[in-house]
């Protein structure tokens, strides 16, 4: 089944404790992206990757890191999480990075709480 | 820059009622427009899309028409069901850039 998977689905952690949220897609997509969803703000892009070893900042990159060593994986790293990073996170992928009508496929989401 | 303004929610309707969720946008060039739906506990799914002016996207009884003159992409359904209860997001994307710009989302609840 074609899908985007994220792990973990739920995470409660404390301020300053490094964490990684994994994202994997099995559709051989070139483009991958991370979004965060907050009430009243919709989804905002954190980082994106046009292809392996190519990553760039989105609208809200502060406090996050990403890497793209393999085509299928795009982990989101929080080196020192803070309470304002409590949010619902979505990974997404699409066939190419050239936009237009390409559909983006979303993972099920990771609900992160930072105490 | 790009922006999407969506009808504020939440919206509560009775089953079989007519639904309209308003969406207007600001963008340079000729963006593609999308409606995504998020069912409880799930990720976003593409509901429908339109890629040029006057295109009508449709799926599962939902429709939206790309109106360039009013920069709008309103979502409509003639007869809603309880299973349509979800959060709906309007979004746009410019050609040559994969980034999606989302509205704030509209929570829809359908009561039997």
């Amino acid at each position: 089944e074609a899908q985007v998977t994220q792990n973990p689905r739920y995470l409660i952690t404390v301020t300053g404790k490094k964490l990684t949220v994994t994202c994997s897609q099995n559709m051989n997509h070139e483009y991958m992206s991370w979004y965060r969803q907050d009430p009243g703000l919709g989804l905002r892009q954190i980082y994106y990757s046009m292809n392996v070893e190519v990553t760039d900042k989105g609208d809200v990159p502060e406090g996050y890191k990403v890497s793209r060593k393999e085509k299928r994986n795009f982990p989101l790293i929080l080196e020192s999480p803070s309470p304002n990073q409590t949010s619902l996170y979505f990974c997404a992928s699409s066939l190419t990075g050239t936009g237009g009508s390409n559909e983006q496929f979303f993972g099920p989401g990771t609900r992160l709480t930072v105490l | 820059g790009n922006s999407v303004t969506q009808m504020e929610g939440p919206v509560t309707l009775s089953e079989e009622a007519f639904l309209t969720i308003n969406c207007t946008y600001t963008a340079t060039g000729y963006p593609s427009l999308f409606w995504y739906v998020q069912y409880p506990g799930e990720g976003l799914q593409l509901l429908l899309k339109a890629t040029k002016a006057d295109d009508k996207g449709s799926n599962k009884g939902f429709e939206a028409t790309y109106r360039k003159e009013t920069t709008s992409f309103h979502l409509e359904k003639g007869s809603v069901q309880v299973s349509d209860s979800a959060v709906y997001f309007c979004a746009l994307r410019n050609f040559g850039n994969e980034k999606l710009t989302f509205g704030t989302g509209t929570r829809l609840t359908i009561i039997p």
Side-chain angles (χ1 to χ4, degrees):
Chain A
E1 180 189 355
Q3 59 183 347
V4 179
T5 57
Q6 294 178 229
N7 283 292
R9 294 289 311 278
Y10 303 90
L11 179 60
I12 301 174
T13 190
V14 296
T15 299
K17 185 176 182 181
K18 180 179 178 180
L19 66 92
T20 299
V21 184
T22 64
C23 173
S24 182
Q25 49 91 6
N26 63 0
M27 296 170 279
N28 202 36
H29 284 171
E30 291 183 353
Y31 181 91
M32 297 186 75
S33 178
W34 277 102
Y35 296 87
R36 60 178 288 174
Q37 181 182 2
D38 301 291
L41 297 176
L43 278 80
R44 294 175 293 167
Q45 190 181 53
I46 303 170
Y47 267 95
Y48 65 95
S49 169
M50 299 288 281
N51 213 325
V52 176
E53 302 291 2
V54 180
T55 63
D56 209 344
K57 296 177 181 178
D59 295 323
V60 288
E62 295 77 21
Y64 304 94
K65 284 176 56 178
V66 293
S67 69
R68 187 92 181 273
K69 294 185 172 63
E70 306 166 280
K71 199 171 190 179
R72 63 184 294 127
N73 296 323
F74 190 46
L76 180 69
I77 303 156
L78 285 72
E79 295 270 4
S80 183
S82 62
N84 64 11
Q85 293 178 297
T86 293
S87 187
L88 181 58
Y89 291 87
F90 289 101
C91 182
S93 72
S94 64
L95 189 58
T96 70
T98 55
S101 62
N102 282 333
E103 179 178 353
Q104 280 198 19
F105 293 83
F106 284 79
T110 295
R111 185 165 294 282
L112 172 65
T113 302
V114 183
L115 302 175
Chain B
N2 296 341
S3 67
V4 176
T5 301
Q6 248 183 273
M7 176 177 174
E8 291 288 330
V11 175
T12 302
L13 295 172
S14 297
E15 203 166 22
E16 298 184 4
F18 184 86
L19 168 71
T20 299
I21 301 178
N22 291 336
C23 171
T24 57
Y25 68 90
T26 301
T28 56
Y30 301 93
S32 295
L33 302 174
F34 305 83
W35 276 100
Y36 280 84
V37 58
Q38 183 180 27
Y39 297 105
E42 298 184 13
L44 279 73
Q45 303 174 24
L46 179 64
L47 180 60
L48 54 84
K49 66 183 180 185
T51 59
K52 61 182 187 297
D54 300 325
D55 264 3
K56 178 185 283 188
S58 61
N59 186 24
K60 300 182 180 179
F62 290 90
E63 293 182 340
T65 301
Y66 189 141
R67 301 285 189 201
K68 189 162 177 61
E69 64 276 13
T70 55
T71 62
S72 65
F73 193 54
H74 304 322
L75 182 68
E76 296 182 336
K77 186 175 185 181
S79 176
V80 292
Q81 306 299 314
V82 172
S83 57
D84 293 328
S85 298
V87 181
Y88 292 81
F89 290 92
C90 185
L92 69 82
R93 186 171 65 216
N94 285 110
F95 185 80
N97 183 346
E98 195 67 26
K99 175 189 167 183
L100 282 163
T101 298
F102 286 89
T104 55
T106 302
R107 181 175 299 278
L108 173 67
T109 302
I110 308 300
I111 54 177

